[in-house]
Amino acid sequence: MALLLGVDTGGTYTDAVLVRDDETVVAAAKSLTTRHDLAEGIGAAVQAVLVSAAVAPSDISLASLSTTLATNALVEGQGGRVALIYIGFRDSDLETHGLSEALKGDPAIVLDGGHDHSGAEVRPLDEAGLNAFLRAHGRDVSGFAVAAQFATRNPAHELRAAQLVAQVTGLPVSASHQLSAKLNGPRRAMTAVLNARLIGMIDRLIGRAEDRLQDLGIAAPMMVVRGDGALISSAQARARPIETILSGPAASIVGARWMTGAELALVSDIGGTTTDVALLRGGRPMIDPAGAQVGPYRTMVEAVAMRTTGLGGDSEVHFIAEGLRGGVTLGPRRLLPVSLLAVDAPDVVHAALDAQLRSVAPGEHDGRFVRAVPGQSVVGLSAREAALLERLGTGGVQPLGDVLRARIEQGALKRLVERGLVQIAGVTPSDASHVLGRVLEWDSGAARKALQLFGRRRTGAGNVLSNIAEDVAQMIVDQLTKQTCLALLETAFAEEDVSFGVAPDVLARHVLMQRGMAGHRGLVRLQTGLDVPVIGLGASAASYYPAVGDRLGCEMVLPDHAGVANAIGAVVGRVMMRQSGTVTAPSEGKFRVHLPEGPEDFADRTSALERLEDALRAQATADALAAGAVDIQVRVDRDIRTAGVEAREVFIEAVITVEAAGRPRVAGG
């Protein structure tokens, strides 16, 4: 009987699980995620689960990986420095469609070129301008993104630009038409930029993970979970890392369904960095028709319809001074919990915390620490960023207040954190849980000291927030409950069959909704909440989520293996490949098939549709085979749009989608 290995790298923990192909969980194990080299945590978790199950590495028939790396990188603004080549658009489009914000100061150029909706060239590609741009920036970026106007109708200029990038720089290039077959050039450009930014880190993760599994004696092929929950090969994930955004959350939904058999439920997965909420309807996760959104970025990647919020066990705790009582809010940035850092560097952490507690006046950076992350790319750093990174040394822990010499350096530190070159430690909900005795895995003493320092801050009334660490801890946990409830309510309102005509975030926060959850009784009686179960997943779900169920007045389902749901979902999924294409009619009697290699014209509709379907069927099947699928089944969907003109039917366009699905091949199978 085949033994399948599922691995999930989360923001805090890396999970490993062994499942037999008769759908029995054999063993599960956890290890701390090692941010500087994720493969170390993967190796530790896999080794632990092998020992727990008492099986040999050679018994593993298939390995599959889900990861929050891409999702967390986008939420936290991390990734490599990239350059955008924007062909056939206007300069103003960079600002209008949010590309400048996504680039975060990375270089971009707008060039003449592009095609029209029928695939005809509008202007020749400005190759001279492109070559000059490549020579200027080929040494200070890690990759390029290319997006040309109507490239999904004719990719010639994107293909030529990609060819020149390879010739002049030798760097990776992400072409937008290879990531989505849909129109909307600016959003395809955004998708290409994010893909280019992720290539380096995903490539390193997969390469190191495969090496570590081989070192352990596991020779089975490795799969990766895509954002819609399907499996792809590791090579496919390396080429299109953007498709792994929401990989971890998608795996958790697959795992939730597998563990509970639920037909209708909200699934809420709390990790170290994010909380991911999605709806199971008819036992299947919904696919977002507008493309996956992570943080502020709306991509054109097919993924589970999910709301990802920067809220997790390791979320940064912010002090709110306004008002007489003050308060806290959480996220979206992840910090290293002080209680965890103290396990790695107990002497430095406790000495600094004790010194800060002895000080009469609280300091701006009390309870915060910083350390460099070795082995990361430093391409494109400014002089101030490079100097600050050099001051941090080679990974030693230092109090943040000892490192920052001027306020202006805070911007440089922020950019180093965004690049993944530096980690900041501070107070998090995980520290609060240690103080309350709910979790005892790390250094509770360090957590208590850090919360005492946090509580010394003064509110708008001039009073300290609290002198009692437990009170501060409960305040933080209560805020996590509140923000989790809001995330669940927003998703529920967004997925209601009948719209309320008001934005989901407004409805979730509406005074009537909030008073109703508290059971308001007066002249008016209000009672509100969720009317579907919530499946709570994540290592800390059992600690935080019972209070969420109580507040929302709904059933809270906490499966036995809720803490490793992502790893389970990673290995029980199926391979599924989709290809889409379009046939248009640029003139009467002419039917144009838009193919990846360029448009082809036909004199009749039937021939054009058959040509497109054959091409898509061949590509989807080839992709599924390349992913390692067997027993492949193909499904074809035709969406033909016509219009009535003077009592006759006129063809407008057709979109054909082909889906090839099968189970992953196991070693020896």
Side-chain angles (χ1 to χ4, degrees):
M1 192 171 292
L3 197 58
L4 315 177
L5 170 67
V7 179
D8 173 68
T9 61
T12 304
Y13 287 105
T14 294
D15 303 329
V17 64
L18 289 174
V19 178
R20 295 197 185 278
D21 58 5
D22 65 352
E23 301 191 349
T24 302
V25 176
V26 177
K30 286 181 175 291
S31 177
L32 283 172
T33 293
T34 46
R35 299 274 285 200
H36 64 283
D37 182 359
L38 295 175
E40 289 185 14
I42 290 172
V46 171
Q47 201 160 23
V49 81
L50 291 174
V51 171
S52 176
V55 299
S58 57
D59 292 339
I60 305 298
S61 301
L62 177 73
S64 186
L65 173 71
S66 76
T67 175
T68 60
L69 178 61
T71 307
N72 293 348
L74 298 186
V75 169
E76 298 176 14
Q78 296 181 358
R81 178 176 167 85
V82 301
L84 171 63
I85 300 165
Y86 205 36
I87 302 168
F89 297 94
R90 297 168 298 184
D91 290 341
S92 60
D93 287 341
L94 292 173
E95 294 291 342
T96 305
H97 298 284
L99 286 167
S100 291
E101 182 181 354
L103 284 165
K104 299 180 181 295
D106 290 356
I109 188 171
V110 180
L111 296 172
D112 281 344
H115 295 77
D116 62 20
H117 68 282
S118 67
E121 185 178 81
V122 175
R123 285 178 298 275
L125 175 63
D126 179 7
E127 294 193 14
L130 175 55
N131 276 304
F133 180 74
L134 295 176
R135 288 192 296 271
H137 295 286
R139 293 178 179 271
D140 61 8
V141 297
S142 60
F144 287 83
V146 180
Q149 192 172 40
F150 285 107
T152 54
R153 296 293 170 86
N154 190 335
H157 288 180
E158 283 196 6
L159 292 172
R160 177 56 179 160
Q163 183 182 43
L164 289 174
V165 169
Q167 290 175 356
V168 176
T169 72
L171 292 173
V173 57
S174 297
S176 77
H177 77 279
Q178 295 173 339
L179 300 171
S180 175
K182 297 179 180 178
L183 298 177
N184 195 327
R187 276 185 46 206
R188 278 190 289 104
M190 174 78 77
T191 305
V193 165
L194 299 179
N195 189 74
R197 185 164 285 158
L198 293 169
I199 282 178
M201 64 170 60
I202 293 294
D203 183 69
R204 285 192 296 273
L205 167 62
I206 292 174
R208 290 283 294 121
E210 289 179 328
D211 290 345
R212 191 70 187 93
L213 292 181
Q214 290 175 4
D215 291 343
L216 291 171
I218 297 173
M222 191 173 88
M223 310 290 286
V224 179
V225 181
R226 203 169 55 195
D228 61 356
L231 302 180
I232 56 177
S233 70
S234 59
Q236 290 166 333
R238 280 172 148 158
R240 298 190 298 275
I242 190 68
E243 293 187 358
T244 70
I245 61 172
L246 301 181
S247 161
S252 75
I253 297 173
V254 174
R257 163 67 177 171
W258 187 85
M259 288 186 290
T260 66
E263 290 290 320
L264 178 64
L266 284 169
V267 179
S268 186
D269 182 7
I270 181 170
T273 307
T274 61
T275 291
D276 307 303
V277 183
L279 177 67
L280 272 176
R281 195 191 294 271
R284 295 172 60 90
M286 301 293 99
I287 300 298
D288 192 339
Q293 178 156 354
V294 181
Y297 306 119
R298 173 68 73 178
T299 71
M300 297 194 78
V301 175
E302 284 193 350
V304 169
M306 177 172 295
R307 287 184 175 249
T308 297
T309 306
L311 175 69
D314 300 343
S315 287
E316 180 176 12
V317 180
H318 302 274
F319 173 63
I320 301 175
E322 292 80 7
L324 298 178
R325 298 180 59 186
V328 298
T329 187
L330 309 178
R333 186 170 68 166
R334 175 188 184 271
L335 298 184
L336 195 66
V338 175
S339 52
L340 175 56
L341 185 69
V343 174
D344 293 338
D347 294 340
V348 174
V349 172
H350 279 280
L353 293 173
D354 290 339
Q356 291 164 2
L357 284 169
R358 288 194 298 269
S359 176
V360 176
E364 180 183 1
H365 304 299
D366 282 358
R368 294 206 160 201
F369 299 85
V370 62
R371 70 178 177 189
V373 180
Q376 307 298 308
S377 171
V378 297
V379 172
L381 292 184
S382 69
R384 179 172 284 115
E385 292 160 6
L388 181 57
L389 185 62
E390 184 177 357
R391 196 185 310 155
L392 288 170
T394 57
V397 175
Q398 300 181 54
L400 182 56
D402 293 353
V403 172
L404 293 178
R405 297 175 180 173
R407 186 168 293 275
I408 196 173
E409 290 185 333
Q410 291 186 359
L413 178 64
K414 180 176 180 290
R415 288 187 291 274
L416 290 174
V417 172
E418 290 173 348
R419 290 283 303 273
L421 296 167
V422 165
Q423 285 182 314
I424 294 178
V427 171
T428 68
S430 295
D431 295 306
S433 292
H434 278 78
V435 170
L436 294 174
R438 297 184 181 186
V439 179
L440 299 172
E441 295 184 19
W442 305 327
D443 192 328
S444 297
R448 177 175 295 277
K449 293 175 183 178
L451 264 66
Q452 286 176 320
L453 287 166
F454 192 93
R456 294 169 62 177
R457 303 177 187 219
R458 294 196 176 272
T459 68
N463 301 318
V464 297
L465 183 64
S466 176
N467 288 314
I468 303 173
E470 284 80 3
D471 289 349
V472 178
Q474 191 60 55
M475 193 181 302
I476 293 169
V477 171
D478 288 346
Q479 183 63 24
L480 187 143
T481 300
K482 177 182 177 181
Q483 291 182 222
T484 302
C485 289
L486 289 174
L488 284 160
L489 289 171
E490 285 184 31
T491 303
F493 278 122
E495 297 292 342
E496 281 282 8
D497 291 331
V498 180
S499 172
F500 284 80
V502 180
D505 61 324
V506 175
L507 290 167
R509 290 164 174 79
H510 197 283
V511 62
L512 293 177
M513 187 73 214
Q514 294 299 316
R515 292 283 182 87
M517 287 197 301
H520 174 81
R521 293 292 185 272
L523 298 180
V524 175
R525 182 176 69 251
L526 297 174
Q527 185 172 354
T528 58
L530 286 178
D531 200 31
V532 294
V534 173
I535 302 172
L537 304 178
S540 59
S543 175
Y544 298 128
Y545 277 9
V548 173
D550 291 343
R551 184 172 175 83
L552 293 171
C554 67
E555 179 187 3
M556 179 61 67
V557 181
L558 298 170
D560 289 341
H561 298 288
V564 292
N566 295 30
I568 290 173
V571 80
V572 299
R574 288 169 57 82
V575 174
M576 188 179 297
M577 293 294 169
R578 295 185 191 88
Q579 289 288 333
S580 295
T582 307
V583 176
T584 60
S587 61
E588 189 170 358
K590 180 184 287 187
F591 298 89
R592 180 162 292 170
V593 180
H594 299 277
L595 299 170
E597 59 272 19
E600 294 181 12
D601 291 338
F602 292 82
D604 66 282
R605 186 173 81 175
T606 300
S607 297
L609 293 174
E610 288 177 353
R611 171 71 176 102
L612 178 59
E613 182 177 321
D614 289 346
L616 296 175
R617 185 186 290 268
Q619 187 60 59
T621 303
D623 289 346
L625 288 170
V630 295
D631 299 333
I632 297 172
Q633 297 179 325
V634 177
R635 186 174 67 86
V636 180
D637 177 68
R638 290 188 175 192
D639 180 10
I640 301 175
R641 301 162 195 170
T642 60
V645 178
E646 296 180 350
R648 66 190 182 96
E649 184 183 71
V650 176
F651 176 86
I652 304 299
E653 72 171 26
V655 176
I656 298 179
T657 301
V658 175
E659 185 179 278
R663 59 181 178 83
R665 181 188 301 276
V666 298

